Amino acid sequence: MKRQNISSGTTWEPIVGYSRAVRVGNHVHVSGTTATGDDGRIVGIGDAAAQTVQTIANIRSALEKAGAKLSDVVRTRIYVTNIVEWEKVGRAHGEVFAAVRPAATAVVVAALLDPAWLVEIEAEAHLPG
């Protein structure tokens, strides 16, 4: 099967050796994604719900570059740095995925790479056909 690497254009992708997303056949795997805006700055500093919304928008962009949609998502993994914020993050996730209902896991972690990141989400999609 043909492999398609999708880049977001960040400087870290070639340094660390990863792609924003990888499509192989009908499967799309989206790397851990955060609330980085188009200008490279974090959106929603201190606001886990706003960061979740931006993170999912970034996931949507990666999926679209791979020929997929949010409705094709079959699994998400949500990493949060503050257990108190889990419900805000969950509700923001649910606003997008309520009808899709992917398998989902939420994990509380001690920290993410940037202290301002409150949420990081991975996604996997399966396209029909």
Side-chain angles (χ1 to χ4, degrees):
M1 287 187 199
K2 181 182 168 193
R3 175 188 178 114
Q4 177 188 7
N5 291 344
I6 289 90
S7 174
S8 63
T10 69
T11 58
W12 288 107
E13 289 175 9
I15 293 168
V16 176
Y18 76 97
S19 297
R20 168 61 38 221
V22 176
R23 178 176 176 172
V24 178
N26 291 342
H27 299 279
V28 181
H29 304 271
V30 181
S31 294
T33 303
T34 59
T36 305
D38 291 337
D39 62 359
R41 296 184 178 169
I42 299 165
V43 173
I45 297 286
D47 184 338
Q51 286 195 18
T52 303
V53 169
Q54 179 64 42
T55 297
I56 293 171
N58 293 346
I59 290 169
R60 175 186 291 119
S61 175
L63 289 169
E64 288 174 352
K65 289 176 183 175
K69 304 175 289 206
L70 288 171
S71 60
D72 297 317
V73 171
V74 296
R75 166 168 278 298
T76 58
R77 289 177 193 87
I78 308 162
Y79 303 92
V80 296
T81 59
N82 185 347
I83 194 166
V84 174
E85 301 291 327
W86 81 266
E87 192 169 351
K88 292 176 187 174
V89 172
R91 288 185 186 281
H93 181 276
E95 287 177 14
V96 174
F97 291 112
V100 179
R101 306 276 301 268
T105 301
V107 179
V108 178
V109 296
L112 296 169
L113 289 177
D114 185 318
W117 295 343
L118 305 176
V119 178
E120 185 168 348
I121 302 175
E122 300 174 15
E124 297 174 16
H126 181 79
L127 289 86

